[in-house]
Amino acid sequence: GPMTSMSSRTPALVPMKAWRLEGDHRIQRQLIWKSWPPTARWCIRLTFFQISSCVLTHLGWTVGPAYQAYNQDEIELFSIARYVLMIPLMLVTVYNLIEWCTRRNMRALVISHVCMFEFSVKISYYSLLSTGYGLAYQNQRAYDLRPIYATRWIGWTFAIPTLLFMNLYPLLDHHHPLEALLRILPQQAASAAYCWACFLGCVVTDPLMGWYLNTLGCVAYVVVIADEMVLVYYNILETSQPVLKGYSIIVKECVFIIYTFVWLFGNWGYATSYSCQRFYTVTDISLKSTMAALLFYYWNVSGETTASTAEVKEG
């Protein structure tokens, strides 16, 4: 059948005992590197290339001035967001406590901890944004005078990799969480690096270097999508509820693509600063809350409450 043929071609994730129990760290790294498909390896290469480019830019180019004026409408938007985000954080925390006191399903506990971290990061940077600690710089790539908030981009550096795990770990629910994390790690690294590259590309005064960094970040994002497609292709038929999980990944990527275009159109003068910040804020809340609700559905409402083989594979 199709499942058999696809499984036979599946690139194996690194088994826990293949690398964790290996005493030689060089062999460990080789085992991990060889287990990744080419797209994941390119994510790692682009991560180092972005980091090198950003460090070089910090050393040899000038960053533009801080943005002094504050848009009160944006500050109010950030303040509302931090309070709204407390609702899903409290719900996930209560769920985690109930799960810990009853079934102690490892997957449910892992993902609830991840969700708690994601919402905590969001609340932290929206609290900073709403209280005057947004670290706003003048966006040098924009056609008008508008702020770009370093605090938001620093928050994204942690939040986007975490969201990737929230979105893709259900697809790898037949593997141990650390195996899944190891497979998703190249995408997370490239995503954290493109946040740095794109922010720096917007605040460096030299337009050539600025658009080089922005383009590099967009290329890294495209490679992340490519690696995500490879991961989905090889695992979608092995997981439970493949249709729902597949749709959740498509929705997330569509939102991220819109993020990219909103950011570019804002720089090109087709969207106001407030419109961009409002879009970022609304999708920050709605997308993360939707992902958390889907995770709850996968392992509770659907009836998938028994321990997976991944939970006992080391027993």
Side-chain angles (χ1 to χ4, degrees):
M3 184 177 295
T4 304
S5 61
M6 183 171 287
S7 298
S8 64
R9 296 184 289 119
T10 302
L13 299 182
V14 182
M16 288 289 289
K17 294 177 182 177
W19 59 269
R20 192 186 64 177
L21 301 181
E22 175 58 56
D24 190 325
H25 295 299
R26 184 178 60 84
I27 297 177
Q28 272 187 341
R29 290 193 294 269
Q30 288 178 351
L31 285 170
I32 293 169
W33 181 262
K34 289 178 181 177
S35 74
W36 284 334
T39 48
R41 297 176 191 178
W42 273 107
C43 284
I44 295 296
R45 293 186 184 106
L46 279 167
T47 298
F48 284 109
F49 196 56
Q50 288 180 101
I51 292 172
S52 302
S53 298
C54 289
V55 170
L56 183 65
T57 303
H58 280 295
L59 293 174
W61 277 261
T62 304
V63 170
Y67 184 85
Q68 299 299 332
Y70 279 93
N71 186 323
Q72 190 59 37
D73 291 336
E74 292 181 5
I75 299 297
E76 292 176 3
L77 190 69
F78 302 148
S79 182
I80 293 171
R82 67 169 172 166
Y83 291 119
V84 172
L85 283 164
M86 289 180 183
I87 298 172
L89 175 61
M90 288 188 292
L91 291 174
V92 172
T93 304
V94 170
Y95 168 72
N96 176 264
L97 291 173
I98 294 173
E99 186 66 38
W100 180 257
C101 294
T102 54
R103 297 179 305 161
R104 297 196 178 186
N105 183 305
M106 184 181 68
R107 287 175 301 170
L109 287 172
V110 166
I111 209 64
S112 60
H113 287 147
V114 172
C115 291
M116 289 162 65
F117 177 77
E118 175 79 359
F119 287 121
S120 297
V121 168
K122 295 286 181 187
I123 291 170
S124 296
Y125 73 71
Y126 275 114
S127 297
L128 291 169
L129 284 166
S130 63
T131 52
Y133 295 97
L135 302 177
Y137 286 81
Q138 290 183 20
N139 189 335
Q140 302 295 316
R141 305 288 80 78
Y143 279 74
D144 56 0
L145 185 63
R146 67 173 64 195
I148 180 168
Y149 297 100
T151 299
R152 182 189 284 283
W153 287 80
I154 293 169
W156 277 346
T157 302
F158 295 94
I160 292 176
T162 306
L163 181 64
L164 283 171
F165 186 82
M166 290 171 61
N167 197 216
L168 296 176
Y169 173 52
L171 204 65
L172 301 169
D173 58 4
H174 49 292
H175 292 281
H176 190 281
L178 288 180
E179 293 179 15
L181 177 62
L182 199 63
R183 174 60 186 88
I184 301 168
L185 186 61
Q187 297 179 34
Q188 294 176 308
S191 298
Y194 73 57
C195 288
W196 184 12
C198 290
F199 171 77
L200 187 58
C202 286
V203 298
V204 68
T205 54
D206 183 355
L208 187 63
M209 177 56 74
W211 281 114
Y212 160 73
L213 289 172
N214 287 334
T215 304
L216 183 60
C218 291
V219 170
Y221 173 57
V222 170
V223 175
V224 168
I225 293 178
D227 188 45
E228 191 171 69
M229 291 172 64
V230 170
L231 190 151
V232 171
Y233 175 76
Y234 283 114
N235 291 277
I236 192 70
L237 293 184
E238 294 185 1
T239 188
S240 59
Q241 306 155 60
V243 175
L244 184 60
K245 292 177 182 179
Y247 277 131
S248 73
I249 292 169
I250 292 171
V251 168
K252 188 264 293 180
E253 283 310 329
C254 287
V255 172
F256 270 41
I257 290 170
I258 297 172
Y259 262 111
T260 305
F261 280 105
V262 167
W263 167 65
L264 288 172
F265 287 162
N267 285 344
W268 294 333
Y270 293 107
T272 64
S273 175
Y274 178 75
S275 298
C276 293
Q277 297 300 331
R278 182 174 59 187
F279 173 80
Y280 297 150
T281 303
V282 171
T283 49
D284 265 353
I285 297 171
S286 58
L287 182 62
K288 280 65 175 183
S289 300
T290 302
M291 291 298 117
L294 283 173
L295 291 167
F296 173 80
Y297 177 84
Y298 292 150
W299 292 316
N300 292 274
V301 179
S302 67
E304 189 184 354
T305 58
T306 56
S308 69
T309 56
E311 295 181 49
V312 296
K313 65 161 54 179
E314 291 194 345

